[in-house]
Amino acid sequence: MTDSYQRELQSALEAVRQAAIACRSVQSSITTEALAKKDKSPVTVADFASQAIICRQLQLDFPADPVIGEEGAAELKLPTGAEFLNRVVQECGVAGLAASATEVCDWIDRGGASQYSPRFWTLDPIDGTKGFLRKEQYAIALALIIDGQIAVGVLGCPNMPMDGKPDGTGVLAWAVRGQGAWMQPLNEPDSAPTRIAVAQASNTTDMRFCESVESGHSSHDWSGLIATELGIHLDPIRMDSQCKYLAVARGDADLYLRLPTRKGYQEKIWDHAAGILVVQEAGGHVTDIHGRNPDFTQGASLTQNEGMVVTNGKSHQAVVFAIKKHAPAEMA
Ligand code: AMP
Ligand code: MG
């Protein structure tokens, strides 16, 4: 593995910035009425537009690279998908890409790989769809994996706050293995990037932890027991998406716990790859709940892992120990 990857990084940053334009455009159109009806169509449109935009860029720059993405265009190609497809084409236009419906479907389908290969990208076009619909946190997550190692990770976080910047500036965070973790206002591609680092809290009682808003994605009961065990006295920061990885990487939080709610759920690689590298390069540590390294050689799912534990690198073992001690019977 070379240690540069500048071309890959620049391509990924550009793609994620452009996808964020489409996501923001769709999110701003969500009405209170649609929110009340729990209408999921905005997220569908933004999800597909984001995947189309990013896969188009990867196809231009790295035509031989497979992309393991969350979405496929099959549903858009059905007669029932025609209206959605029109809206997706429109949102690609908002992001500056004039394209036909066929081109858009082809771009989306470029993200349809599912098998492991020595070099591939993985993409979550909108991670945290529930947060997207609530107009809270979501992320566009893209990573390049080479020989099972995450080489490049990019997180677009359109609603994350940035110190000294107005609300809505958003954050673009990234890492290349061995080159540190960085962030920049999402709206300001020409601004100087800031290097990010995890917080230094080493005493578990001082730690701030974050977890999913959705108790169906990570057990809140289990994390409550762990917090008590570790003497954590602050309430959890509940946030959707891989913005939680960014929160640990830049020291807003010390810990991100993802605790399985049932035996057998396999985490998806696109929900973790970009975030993991950003945290590792910021000085943090990531394992699954058993203390095992995430294994990216298995295709779309982390079949060799359960849940995820993300720390600032201090007290990682103590956290893993507390998880084991309080594991519900079905997870032990
Ligand atoms: P979060 O926003 O952190 O709650 O995570 C969102 C991600 O959770 C989605 O992208 C899904 O892939 C993933 N997900 C869906 N069901 C589950 C589950 N039962 N356990 C863990 N993660 C899940
Ligand atoms: Mg996701």
Side-chain angles (χ1 to χ4, degrees), residues 49-301:
S50 174
Q51 178 152 327
I53 290 164
I54 290 172
C55 288
R56 172 197 163 268
Q57 183 84 41
L58 295 178
Q59 177 173 316
L60 277 178
D61 293 342
F62 307 103
D65 288 357
V67 183
I68 301 185
E70 197 177 8
E71 306 299 338
E75 141 189 11
L76 289 181
K77 291 177 187 161
L78 298 173
T80 47
E83 193 201 319
F84 273 120
L85 182 54
N86 274 337
R87 288 167 63 194
V88 173
V89 170
Q90 244 176 39
E91 292 303 335
C92 288
V94 171
L97 298 176
S100 70
T102 312
E103 279 174 305
V104 166
C105 286
D106 288 349
W107 294 337
I108 294 170
D109 279 337
R110 255 198 67 74
S114 58
Q115 302 296 312
Y116 173 76
S117 56
R119 174 177 161 124
F120 68 94
W121 297 82
T122 187
L123 168 65
D124 197 339
I126 292 193
D127 181 36
T129 52
K130 300 256 171 73
F132 178 83
L133 287 171
R134 287 191 236 99
K135 302 202 179 191
E136 293 172 3
Q137 297 305 333
Y138 67 99
I140 300 150
L142 178 62
L144 172 65
I145 301 192
I146 302 206
D147 295 332
Q149 298 276 318
I150 313 159
V152 177
V154 175
L155 287 179
C157 306
N159 290 342
M160 280 292 269
M162 185 93 187
D163 261 358
K165 297 285 174 186
D167 277 358
T169 304
V171 179
L172 184 64
W174 67 86
V176 176
R177 182 164 298 279
Q179 298 177 29
W182 302 83
M183 70 175 177
Q184 182 184 56
L186 181 56
N187 290 350
E188 297 175 15
D190 298 326
S191 63
T194 317
R195 192 157 184 169
I196 55 180
V198 294
Q200 293 304 312
S202 55
N203 197 333
T204 56
T205 55
D206 299 327
M207 289 187 172
R208 297 149 299 171
F209 84 93
C210 51
E211 63 183 354
S212 285
V213 175
E214 300 297 322
S215 57
H217 294 172
S218 183
S219 168
H220 292 173
D221 293 343
W222 193 356
S223 67
L225 296 171
I226 293 158
T228 307
E229 171 79 22
L230 296 173
I232 292 175
H233 53 89
L234 294 170
D235 285 339
I237 304 164
R238 293 198 172 135
M239 199 190 279
D240 300 284
S241 83
Q242 281 170 76
C243 289
K244 294 186 281 295
Y245 277 103
L246 173 62
V248 174
R250 69 178 187 181
D252 299 346
D254 304 281
L255 200 58
Y256 159 26
L257 296 175
R258 192 169 191 90
L259 306 171
T261 54
R262 61 176 169 88
K263 197 79 187 164
Y265 178 78
Q266 294 181 339
E267 296 289 335
K268 299 292 179 283
I269 58 170
W270 52 75
D271 284 332
H272 298 280
I276 288 175
L277 189 63
V278 170
V279 164
Q280 289 174 334
E281 287 296 320
H285 194 52
V286 184
T287 68
D288 75 356
I289 58 166
H290 306 290
R292 295 185 292 229
N293 290 326
D295 178 352
F296 287 95
T297 67
Q298 303 295 310
S301 298

